[in-house]
Structures are given as structure tokens and as C-alpha cells.
């Protein structure tokens, strides 16, 4: 089991809301993540497409996994918080939706800012697509990561 596999298992256990909705973390890398959500009665809206809140939950979970993957070796000493987000719905989403998240920033620069200031803020970009590969939504989440020593 790789450290990213262990992180995937841990995140799935400690974020109960995403699991409750049905989000599955497919893979995590150093600043990247992929998550999926199958449409069900509970994730659908009044027009039989994926509910906007379900898409938001999918993208936010993928963004958090990408952030955690970027900071994996230091994660236990950090406090990550999603500070803000924006979402754009491109087309109605049906079926299984896959979210691809990537940290917008260089690891060396992010770690340097964290070391120098005790905190760093950066965006994670997420694209969501249906099983045919059509983009259904885009989201950006700004993460604020601070050192627990700084927060104390």
C-alpha cells in the first residue's frame, strides 16, 4: 500500500458527508485527485439530473484530496480549511460523474510560503465530466493551509 492509498482510505473515513452522499475517491497523487459519484434517486434533482449540491460535494471532496496529496508528508502538522469556492454548471449531469482535481501551484513554492509565513492559500481547479467525457461542471476551491504550530 502506497502512502497515497493510505491517505485515500483515511480521507474516506474522516469525511462522513462525502461518503454519505456516495463520493468515492478513485486516486490521489501529489497535488491531484480523482473522485466519482453515481447518480441515484438521492443525488438527483426535480429534472432527473445530478443535483447541484451533489456536484459541489463531489468537487469539494476531490479538491480536498488533491490538497492533502500535495501536503502528504506534512499533513499531520497542518490545518487545512476550504476558504472559498466558485462553481459553474456547464451542462446537465447524468449518470456517473468523475471529478479531476489539481492544485494550482508549484510544490516548492507552496512549501516555501508555508515555511516562511506559517500559512499558504492556493486554488485547486476541478473539472467534472460524465461517462461520455463531456464536461458538466467546473469548480475552483481556495484552500488555506496553516501550520498547527502557527495556529496554537
Amino acid at each position: 500500500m502506497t502512502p497515497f492509498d493510505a491517505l485515500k482510505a483515511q480521507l474516506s473515513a474522516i469525511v462522513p458527508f462525502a461518503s454519505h452522499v456516495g463520493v468515492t475517491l478513485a486516486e490521489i497523487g501529489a497535488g491531484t485527485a480523482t473522485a466519482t459519484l453515481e447518480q441515484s434517486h438521492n443525488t438527483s434533482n426535480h429534472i432527473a439530473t445530478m443535483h447541484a449540491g451533489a456536484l459541489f460535494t463531489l468537487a469539494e471532496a476531490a479538491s480536498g484530496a488533491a490538497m492533502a496529496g500535495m501536503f502528504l508528508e506534512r499533513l499531520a502538522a497542518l490545518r487545512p480549511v476550504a476558504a472559498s469556492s466558485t462553481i459553474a454548471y456547464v451542462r446537465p449531469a447524468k449518470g456517473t460523474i468523475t471529478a479531476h482535481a489539481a492544485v494550482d501551484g508549484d510544490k516548492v513554492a507552496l512549501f516555501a510560503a508555508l515555511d516562511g509565513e506559517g500559512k499558504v492559500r492556493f486554488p485547486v481547479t476541478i473539472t467534472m465530466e460524465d461517462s461520455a467525457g463531456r464536461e458538466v461542471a467546473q469548480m475552483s476551491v481556495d484552500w488555506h493551509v496553516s501550520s498547527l504550530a502557527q495556529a496554537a
Side-chain angles (χ1 to χ4, degrees), residues 26-71:
E27 61 182 59
I28 300 175
T32 63
T34 301
T36 60
L37 180 60
E38 290 186 33
Q39 185 178 3
S40 69
H41 174 74
N42 291 333
T43 62
S44 295
N45 60 24
H46 63 291
I47 58 170
T49 62
M50 186 82 73
H51 191 280
L55 290 170
F56 184 96
T57 299
L58 171 63
E60 194 276 339
S63 78
M67 174 281 304
M70 177 65 84
F71 290 92

Side-chain angles (χ1 to χ4, degrees), residues 110-130:
L110 292 172
F111 276 55
L114 180 60
D115 291 340
E117 300 173 33
K119 61 185 177 182
V120 62
R121 186 172 175 147
F122 55 92
V124 176
T125 300
I126 309 96
T127 57
M128 289 171 271
E129 60 188 34
D130 62 19

